[in-house]
Amino acid sequence: MRRRHALGLVASLPGCAVAQTQPAPAETLRSIARAAGRGFGAAVRADLLGSDAAYAALFAAEAELLTPEWEAKWVALQPEEGRFDFSHLNAIITFAQANRQRVRGHALLWQEAIPDWVKAALAEGPDRARGVMEAHFAGVLGTTRQHIRDWDVVNEPIANPPGADVPQAGDNPLRETPWFKALGPNYIEMAFRTARAQDATLRLTLNEYGIEESTPDAEEKRRRLLALLRRLLDKGCPLDALGIQAHLQMRKPFDPAPFARFLDQIRAMGLAILITELDVREPDTLAEGIPARDAAVAERVKQFLDVAVAGGCRTVITWGLTDRNSWLGNEPGVLRRDGATTRGLPFDEELRRKPMWQAIAGALRG
Ligand code: G3I
């Protein structure tokens, strides 16, 4: 087992190796956020909670909020029609209970991580599609209501404009997902109304990415998102919050002003603002040496989070905690061409705090 550097005795779970211990760190992102009346959390993986004691202990110490990285997605929860499997998600819920943490749901409706049987059902037409959506929401929200009070109901509905990493052809402002094709543009409103019908007090969040930087495509994506949110709210659609993923890219410029204006418009709609999937992709040309690289990442994170917190964001969630298990190091589409490991999270592969940890701490104290 790798050496760990910041642990108290974690509340252990069946099958979760118990970590023997160093004195608990005086301050964690969890305690700093709480002291400032904010919340800090991270995306977590059930398989690693059960197999990596150091990983588990780090999450117990640093995170007050947990987002299942995969376990609350359709492919995990309803792999076959009518057969629900909450085993992976329950492992995270049980861990959270043992460590006095909250769990966010991610995501009820998305164009990815859906089983083939759903894709086939959606192709059968709107009535079948609506039935499948309603049955899934009823099954999932009915089972998790006691433990999960906040869900990303619809994830990534806005089409990527020209100039974005993966642009959608044509001028449809909405992403042409299987849900869009089966149910038309109203599928988004339908999803929120279906979730609200299941639970009168659940926080309903719309989650999106590519709306952070000061590039023309990000500006256009913000414009499209604002138009969608206004349309939904004007129709009385139940919607409580916007989740800003914040997979930041240092090869793209970040200007605080347009992002701050965007947050003002979101807040003026009465929506809460959350940072839901923060991590950083370093520039194509890396600075010389780890300290310089980490300092540059920390600077971008601090600049971004200072605007977000000043703009009313009270919840910051990173997409993982350690470079050891980041999708940035696994996902073929985002792997670095130079083979370097992206250092886009607050802890390094040895679970040591990085300058990014200080940047997040500073912004949360903000
Ligand atoms: O498929 C296995 C499954 O059989 C196994 O039981 C399970 C538990 O070990 O793992 C599953 O594997 C992979 C899973 O990640 C676990 O980590 C899936 O194959 C793989 O597709 C999945 O990738 C996730 C991806 O979303 C798709 O769901 C990434 O970890 C996760 O980081 C990524 O997260 C997305 C957000 O949801 C939305 N925003 C962008 C973000 C990054 O792409």
Coordinates of all heavy atoms in Angstrom, one line a residue, residues 6-83:
A6 N -2.1 12.3 4.8 CA -3.1 13.1 5.6 C -4.3 12.3 6.0 O -5.2 12.2 5.3 CB -3.5 14.3 4.7
L7 N -4.2 11.6 7.1 CA -5.3 10.7 7.5 C -5.7 10.7 8.9 O -4.8 10.7 9.8 CB -5.0 9.3 7.0 CG -4.7 9.2 5.5 CD1 -4.2 7.8 5.2 CD2 -6.0 9.5 4.8
G8 N -6.9 10.6 9.2 CA -7.4 10.2 10.6 C -7.9 8.8 10.3 O -7.9 8.3 9.3
L9 N -8.4 8.2 11.4 CA -9.0 6.9 11.2 C -10.3 7.0 10.5 O -11.2 7.8 11.0 CB -9.2 6.2 12.6 CG -9.7 4.8 12.6 CD1 -8.8 3.9 11.8 CD2 -10.0 4.3 14.0
V10 N -10.5 6.5 9.3 CA -11.7 6.7 8.6 C -12.8 5.7 9.2 O -12.5 4.6 9.5 CB -11.6 6.4 7.1 CG1 -10.7 7.5 6.5 CG2 -11.1 5.0 6.8
A11 N -14.0 6.1 9.1 CA -15.1 5.2 9.5 C -15.1 4.1 8.5 O -15.2 4.3 7.3 CB -16.4 5.9 9.5
S12 N -14.8 2.9 8.9 CA -14.6 1.8 7.9 C -15.8 1.1 7.6 O -16.8 1.0 8.3 CB -13.5 0.8 8.5 OG -14.2 0.3 9.7
L13 N -15.8 0.5 6.4 CA -17.0 -0.2 5.8 C -16.6 -1.7 5.7 O -15.4 -2.0 5.5 CB -17.3 0.3 4.4 CG -17.7 1.8 4.4 CD1 -17.8 2.2 2.9 CD2 -19.0 1.9 5.0
P14 N -17.6 -2.5 5.6 CA -17.3 -3.9 5.3 C -16.5 -3.9 4.0 O -16.8 -3.3 3.0 CB -18.7 -4.6 5.0 CG -19.7 -3.7 5.7 CD -19.0 -2.3 5.7
G15 N -15.3 -4.6 4.0 CA -14.6 -4.7 2.7 C -13.7 -3.5 2.5 O -12.9 -3.4 1.6
C16 N -13.9 -2.4 3.3 CA -13.0 -1.3 3.1 C -11.8 -1.4 4.0 O -11.9 -1.3 5.2 CB -13.8 0.0 3.3 SG -12.7 1.5 3.2
A17 N -10.6 -1.6 3.4 CA -9.4 -1.8 4.3 C -9.3 -0.6 5.2 O -9.5 0.6 4.8 CB -8.2 -1.9 3.4
V18 N -9.1 -0.9 6.5 CA -9.0 0.2 7.5 C -7.6 0.8 7.5 O -6.6 0.1 7.4 CB -9.2 -0.3 9.0 CG1 -9.0 0.8 10.0 CG2 -10.7 -0.8 9.0
A19 N -7.5 2.1 7.4 CA -6.2 2.8 7.3 C -5.7 3.1 8.6 O -6.3 3.8 9.4 CB -6.4 4.1 6.5
Q20 N -4.5 2.6 9.0 CA -3.8 3.1 10.2 C -3.2 4.4 9.9 O -3.1 4.9 8.8 CB -2.8 2.1 10.6 CG -3.4 0.7 10.9 CD -4.6 0.9 11.8 OE1 -4.6 1.6 12.7 NE2 -5.8 0.3 11.4
T21 N -2.6 5.2 10.7 CA -2.9 6.6 10.6 C -1.8 7.6 11.0 O -1.0 7.3 11.9 CB -4.0 6.8 11.6 OG1 -3.4 6.5 12.9 CG2 -5.1 6.0 11.3
Q22 N -2.0 8.7 10.4 CA -1.2 9.9 10.8 C -2.3 10.8 11.5 O -3.4 10.6 11.3 CB -0.8 10.6 9.5 CG -0.1 9.7 8.4 CD 1.3 9.6 8.7 OE1 1.9 10.4 9.3 NE2 1.9 8.6 8.2
P23 N -1.8 11.8 12.3 CA -2.8 12.7 12.9 C -3.6 13.3 11.7 O -3.1 13.7 10.7 CB -1.9 13.7 13.6 CG -0.5 13.5 13.0 CD -0.4 12.1 12.5
A24 N -4.9 13.5 12.0 CA -5.7 14.1 10.9 C -5.2 15.6 10.7 O -4.8 16.2 11.6 CB -7.2 14.2 11.4
P25 N -5.2 16.0 9.4 CA -4.7 17.4 9.2 C -5.6 18.4 9.8 O -6.8 18.2 10.0 CB -4.8 17.5 7.6 CG -5.8 16.5 7.2 CD -5.7 15.4 8.2
A26 N -5.0 19.5 10.3 CA -5.8 20.5 11.1 C -6.9 21.0 10.2 O -8.0 21.1 10.6 CB -4.8 21.6 11.4
E27 N -6.6 21.3 8.9 CA -7.6 21.8 8.0 C -7.7 20.9 6.8 O -6.7 20.4 6.3 CB -7.2 23.2 7.6 CG -7.4 24.3 8.6 CD -7.4 25.7 8.0 OE1 -6.4 25.9 7.2 OE2 -8.3 26.5 8.2
T28 N -8.9 20.8 6.4 CA -9.1 20.1 5.1 C -10.0 21.0 4.3 O -10.6 22.0 4.8 CB -9.9 18.8 5.3 OG1 -11.2 19.1 5.9 CG2 -9.1 17.9 6.3
L29 N -10.2 20.7 3.0 CA -11.1 21.5 2.1 C -12.5 21.4 2.7 O -13.2 22.4 2.6 CB -11.0 21.0 0.7 CG -9.6 21.2 0.0 CD1 -9.6 20.6 -1.4 CD2 -9.3 22.7 -0.1
R30 N -12.8 20.3 3.3 CA -14.1 20.1 3.9 C -14.3 21.1 5.0 O -15.3 21.8 5.1 CB -14.2 18.6 4.4 CG -15.5 18.3 5.1 CD -15.5 16.8 5.5 NE -16.7 16.4 6.1 CZ -17.1 15.1 6.3 NH1 -16.3 14.1 6.0 NH2 -18.2 14.9 6.9
S31 N -13.3 21.2 5.9 CA -13.5 22.0 7.1 C -13.4 23.5 6.7 O -14.1 24.3 7.3 CB -12.4 21.7 8.2 OG -11.1 22.0 7.7
I32 N -12.6 23.8 5.8 CA -12.4 25.2 5.3 C -13.7 25.7 4.7 O -14.3 26.8 5.0 CB -11.3 25.3 4.3 CG1 -9.9 25.2 5.1 CG2 -11.3 26.7 3.6 CD1 -8.8 24.9 4.2
A33 N -14.3 24.8 3.9 CA -15.6 25.2 3.2 C -16.7 25.4 4.2 O -17.4 26.4 4.2 CB -16.0 24.1 2.2
R34 N -16.8 24.4 5.2 CA -17.8 24.5 6.2 C -17.7 25.8 7.0 O -18.7 26.5 7.3 CB -17.8 23.3 7.1 CG -19.0 23.1 7.9 CD -19.1 21.9 8.7 NE -17.8 21.7 9.5 CZ -17.1 20.5 9.3 NH1 -17.4 19.6 8.5 NH2 -16.0 20.4 10.0
A35 N -16.5 26.1 7.4 CA -16.3 27.3 8.2 C -16.7 28.6 7.4 O -17.1 29.6 8.1 CB -14.8 27.4 8.6
A36 N -16.7 28.5 6.1 CA -17.1 29.7 5.3 C -18.5 29.6 4.8 O -19.0 30.4 4.0 CB -16.1 29.8 4.1
G37 N -19.2 28.6 5.3 CA -20.6 28.4 4.9 C -20.8 27.9 3.5 O -21.8 28.1 2.9
R38 N -19.8 27.2 3.0 CA -19.8 26.6 1.7 C -19.6 25.1 1.8 O -19.5 24.6 2.8 CB -18.7 27.3 0.8 CG -18.9 28.8 0.7 CD -17.9 29.5 -0.1 NE -18.3 30.9 -0.2 CZ -17.6 32.0 0.2 NH1 -16.5 31.8 0.9 NH2 -18.1 33.2 0.0
G39 N -19.7 24.5 0.6 CA -19.5 23.1 0.6 C -18.4 22.6 -0.4 O -18.3 23.2 -1.5
F40 N -17.6 21.7 0.0 CA -16.6 21.1 -0.9 C -16.8 19.6 -1.1 O -17.1 18.9 -0.1 CB -15.1 21.3 -0.4 CG -14.2 20.7 -1.3 CD1 -13.8 21.2 -2.6 CD2 -13.6 19.4 -1.0 CE1 -13.0 20.6 -3.5 CE2 -12.8 18.8 -1.9 CZ -12.4 19.3 -3.1
G41 N -16.7 19.2 -2.3 CA -16.9 17.7 -2.5 C -16.1 17.3 -3.7 O -15.3 18.0 -4.3
A42 N -16.2 16.0 -4.0 CA -15.4 15.4 -5.1 C -16.2 14.2 -5.7 O -17.0 13.6 -5.0 CB -14.1 15.0 -4.6
A43 N -15.9 13.9 -7.0 CA -16.4 12.7 -7.6 C -15.6 11.5 -7.1 O -14.4 11.6 -6.9 CB -16.3 12.8 -9.1
V44 N -16.4 10.4 -6.8 CA -15.7 9.3 -6.2 C -16.1 8.0 -6.9 O -17.2 8.0 -7.6 CB -16.2 9.2 -4.7 CG1 -17.7 8.8 -4.6 CG2 -15.3 8.3 -3.8
R45 N -15.3 6.9 -6.8 CA -15.5 5.7 -7.4 C -15.7 4.6 -6.4 O -14.8 4.4 -5.6 CB -14.4 5.3 -8.4 CG -14.5 6.1 -9.7 CD -13.4 5.8 -10.7 NE -13.2 4.4 -10.8 CZ -12.2 3.9 -11.5 NH1 -11.3 4.7 -12.1 NH2 -12.0 2.6 -11.6
A46 N -16.8 3.9 -6.4 CA -17.1 2.8 -5.4 C -16.0 1.7 -5.4 O -15.6 1.2 -4.4 CB -18.5 2.2 -5.7
D47 N -15.6 1.4 -6.6 CA -14.6 0.3 -6.7 C -13.3 0.6 -6.0 O -12.7 -0.2 -5.3 CB -14.3 -0.1 -8.2 CG -13.8 1.0 -9.0 OD1 -14.1 2.2 -8.7 OD2 -13.1 0.8 -10.0
L48 N -12.9 1.9 -6.0 CA -11.7 2.3 -5.3 C -11.9 2.5 -3.8 O -11.0 2.2 -3.0 CB -11.2 3.6 -6.0 CG -10.7 3.5 -7.4 CD1 -10.4 4.8 -8.0 CD2 -9.5 2.5 -7.6
L49 N -13.1 2.9 -3.4 CA -13.4 3.0 -2.0 C -13.2 1.7 -1.3 O -12.8 1.6 -0.2 CB -14.8 3.5 -1.8 CG -15.1 5.0 -2.0 CD1 -16.6 5.3 -1.7 CD2 -14.3 5.9 -1.1
G50 N -13.6 0.6 -2.1 CA -13.5 -0.7 -1.5 C -12.1 -1.4 -1.6 O -11.8 -2.3 -0.9
S51 N -11.3 -0.8 -2.5 CA -10.0 -1.5 -2.7 C -8.8 -0.7 -2.4 O -7.6 -1.2 -2.3 CB -9.9 -1.8 -4.2 OG -9.9 -0.6 -5.0
D52 N -8.9 0.6 -2.1 CA -7.8 1.5 -1.9 C -8.0 2.3 -0.6 O -8.7 3.3 -0.6 CB -7.6 2.5 -3.1 CG -6.4 3.3 -3.0 OD1 -5.9 3.6 -1.8 OD2 -5.9 3.8 -4.0
A53 N -7.5 1.8 0.5 CA -7.7 2.5 1.8 C -7.3 3.9 1.9 O -8.0 4.8 2.4 CB -7.0 1.7 2.9
A54 N -6.2 4.2 1.2 CA -5.7 5.6 1.2 C -6.6 6.5 0.5 O -6.9 7.6 0.9 CB -4.3 5.6 0.6
Y55 N -7.1 6.0 -0.6 CA -8.1 6.8 -1.4 C -9.4 7.0 -0.6 O -9.8 8.2 -0.4 CB -8.5 5.9 -2.6 CG -9.6 6.4 -3.6 CD1 -9.3 7.2 -4.7 CD2 -10.9 6.1 -3.4 CE1 -10.2 7.6 -5.6 CE2 -11.9 6.5 -4.2 CZ -11.6 7.3 -5.3 OH -12.6 7.7 -6.2
A56 N -9.8 6.0 0.1 CA -11.0 6.1 0.9 C -10.8 7.1 2.1 O -11.7 8.0 2.3 CB -11.4 4.8 1.5
A57 N -9.7 7.0 2.7 CA -9.4 7.9 3.8 C -9.3 9.4 3.4 O -9.8 10.3 4.1 CB -8.1 7.5 4.5
L58 N -8.7 9.6 2.2 CA -8.6 11.0 1.7 C -10.0 11.6 1.5 O -10.3 12.7 1.8 CB -7.8 11.0 0.4 CG -7.4 12.3 -0.2 CD1 -6.4 13.0 0.8 CD2 -6.8 12.2 -1.6
F59 N -10.9 10.8 0.9 CA -12.3 11.3 0.6 C -13.0 11.5 1.9 O -13.7 12.5 2.1 CB -13.0 10.3 -0.3 CG -12.8 10.5 -1.7 CD1 -11.6 10.0 -2.3 CD2 -13.7 11.2 -2.5 CE1 -11.4 10.2 -3.7 CE2 -13.4 11.4 -3.9 CZ -12.3 10.9 -4.4
A60 N -12.8 10.7 2.9 CA -13.4 10.9 4.2 C -13.0 12.2 4.9 O -13.7 12.9 5.5 CB -13.1 9.7 5.2
A61 N -11.7 12.5 4.7 CA -11.1 13.7 5.3 C -11.5 15.0 4.6 O -11.9 16.0 5.2 CB -9.6 13.5 5.4
E62 N -11.4 14.9 3.3 CA -11.4 16.2 2.5 C -12.8 16.6 1.9 O -13.0 17.7 1.7 CB -10.4 16.1 1.3 CG -9.0 16.0 1.7 CD -8.4 17.3 2.2 OE1 -9.0 18.4 1.9 OE2 -7.3 17.3 2.9
A63 N -13.7 15.6 1.7 CA -14.9 15.9 1.0 C -16.2 15.8 1.9 O -16.3 14.8 2.7 CB -15.1 14.9 -0.1
E64 N -17.0 16.8 1.9 CA -18.3 16.8 2.6 C -19.4 16.3 1.6 O -20.4 15.8 2.1 CB -18.6 18.2 3.1 CG -19.8 18.2 4.0 CD -21.0 18.9 3.3 OE1 -20.8 19.8 2.5 OE2 -22.1 18.5 3.6
L65 N -19.1 16.4 0.3 CA -20.1 16.0 -0.7 C -19.4 15.0 -1.6 O -18.3 15.1 -1.9 CB -20.4 17.3 -1.6 CG -21.7 18.0 -1.3 CD1 -21.5 19.4 -1.9 CD2 -22.9 17.3 -1.9
L66 N -20.2 14.0 -2.0 CA -19.7 13.0 -2.9 C -20.6 12.9 -4.1 O -21.8 12.9 -4.0 CB -19.6 11.6 -2.3 CG -18.7 11.5 -1.0 CD1 -18.9 10.0 -0.4 CD2 -17.3 11.8 -1.3
T67 N -20.0 12.9 -5.3 CA -20.7 12.7 -6.6 C -20.2 11.3 -7.1 O -19.0 11.2 -7.4 CB -20.5 13.8 -7.6 OG1 -20.8 15.0 -7.1 CG2 -21.3 13.5 -8.9
P68 N -21.1 10.3 -7.3 CA -20.7 9.1 -7.9 C -20.2 9.3 -9.3 O -20.9 10.0 -10.1 CB -22.0 8.2 -7.9 CG -22.8 8.9 -6.9 CD -22.5 10.4 -6.9
E69 N -19.0 8.9 -9.6 CA -18.4 9.2 -10.9 C -19.1 8.4 -12.0 O -19.1 8.9 -13.2 CB -16.9 8.9 -10.9 CG -16.2 9.4 -12.2 CD -14.7 9.5 -12.1 OE1 -14.1 9.4 -11.0 OE2 -14.0 9.7 -13.1
W70 N -19.6 7.3 -11.7 CA -20.2 6.4 -12.7 C -21.5 5.7 -12.1 O -22.4 5.4 -12.9 CB -19.2 5.3 -13.1 CG -19.7 4.2 -14.0 CD1 -19.9 4.2 -15.3 CD2 -20.1 2.9 -13.5 NE1 -20.4 3.0 -15.8 CE2 -20.5 2.2 -14.7 CE3 -20.2 2.2 -12.3 CZ2 -20.9 0.9 -14.7 CZ3 -20.6 0.9 -12.3 CH2 -21.0 0.3 -13.5
E71 N -21.6 5.4 -10.8 CA -22.5 4.5 -10.2 C -23.9 5.0 -10.2 O -24.8 4.2 -9.9 CB -22.0 4.3 -8.7 CG -20.7 3.6 -8.6 CD -19.4 4.5 -8.9 OE1 -19.6 5.7 -9.2 OE2 -18.3 4.0 -8.9
A72 N -24.2 6.3 -10.5 CA -25.6 6.7 -10.5 C -26.1 7.0 -11.9 O -27.1 7.6 -12.1 CB -25.8 8.0 -9.6
K73 N -25.3 6.5 -12.9 CA -25.7 6.7 -14.3 C -26.6 5.5 -14.7 O -26.6 4.5 -14.1 CB -24.4 6.8 -15.1 CG -23.6 8.1 -14.9 CD -22.3 8.1 -15.6 CE -21.6 9.4 -15.3 NZ -20.2 9.5 -15.7
W74 N -27.3 5.8 -15.8 CA -28.3 4.8 -16.2 C -27.7 3.4 -16.4 O -28.3 2.4 -16.0 CB -29.0 5.3 -17.5 CG -30.3 4.7 -17.8 CD1 -30.6 3.3 -17.8 CD2 -31.5 5.3 -18.2 NE1 -31.9 3.1 -18.1 CE2 -32.5 4.3 -18.4 CE3 -31.9 6.7 -18.3 CZ2 -33.8 4.6 -18.7 CZ3 -33.2 6.9 -18.7 CH2 -34.2 5.9 -18.9
V75 N -26.5 3.4 -17.0 CA -25.9 2.1 -17.4 C -25.6 1.3 -16.1 O -25.7 0.1 -16.1 CB -24.6 2.3 -18.2 CG1 -23.5 2.9 -17.3 CG2 -24.2 1.1 -18.9
A76 N -25.4 2.0 -15.0 CA -25.1 1.3 -13.7 C -26.4 0.9 -13.0 O -26.5 -0.1 -12.4 CB -24.2 2.2 -12.8
L77 N -27.4 1.8 -13.0 CA -28.6 1.7 -12.2 C -29.6 0.8 -12.8 O -30.4 0.1 -12.1 CB -29.2 3.0 -11.9 CG -28.4 3.9 -10.9 CD1 -29.0 5.3 -10.8 CD2 -28.2 3.3 -9.6
Q78 N -29.8 0.8 -14.2 CA -30.8 0.0 -14.8 C -30.2 -0.7 -16.1 O -30.6 -0.3 -17.2 CB -32.1 0.8 -15.2 CG -33.3 -0.1 -15.5 CD -34.5 0.6 -15.9 OE1 -35.5 0.0 -16.3 NE2 -34.6 1.9 -15.8
P79 N -29.2 -1.6 -15.9 CA -28.5 -2.2 -17.0 C -29.5 -3.0 -18.0 O -29.2 -3.0 -19.2 CB -27.5 -3.1 -16.4 CG -28.0 -3.3 -15.0 CD -28.8 -2.1 -14.6
E80 N -30.5 -3.5 -17.4 CA -31.5 -4.2 -18.2 C -32.9 -3.6 -17.9 O -33.1 -3.2 -16.7 CB -31.6 -5.7 -18.0 CG -30.4 -6.5 -18.5 CD -30.1 -7.7 -17.7 OE1 -31.1 -8.3 -17.3 OE2 -28.9 -8.0 -17.4
E81 N -33.8 -3.6 -18.8 CA -35.1 -2.9 -18.6 C -35.8 -3.6 -17.4 O -36.0 -4.8 -17.3 CB -36.0 -3.0 -19.8 CG -37.3 -2.2 -19.5 CD -38.1 -1.8 -20.8 OE1 -37.7 -2.3 -21.9 OE2 -39.0 -0.9 -20.7
G82 N -36.1 -2.7 -16.4 CA -36.8 -3.2 -15.2 C -35.9 -3.9 -14.2 O -36.4 -4.1 -13.1
R83 N -34.6 -4.1 -14.5 CA -33.7 -4.7 -13.5 C -32.9 -3.5 -13.0 O -31.9 -3.1 -13.7 CB -32.9 -5.8 -14.1 CG -32.0 -6.4 -13.0 CD -31.2 -7.6 -13.5 NE -30.1 -7.2 -14.4 CZ -28.9 -6.8 -13.9 NH1 -28.7 -6.6 -12.6 NH2 -27.9 -6.5 -14.7

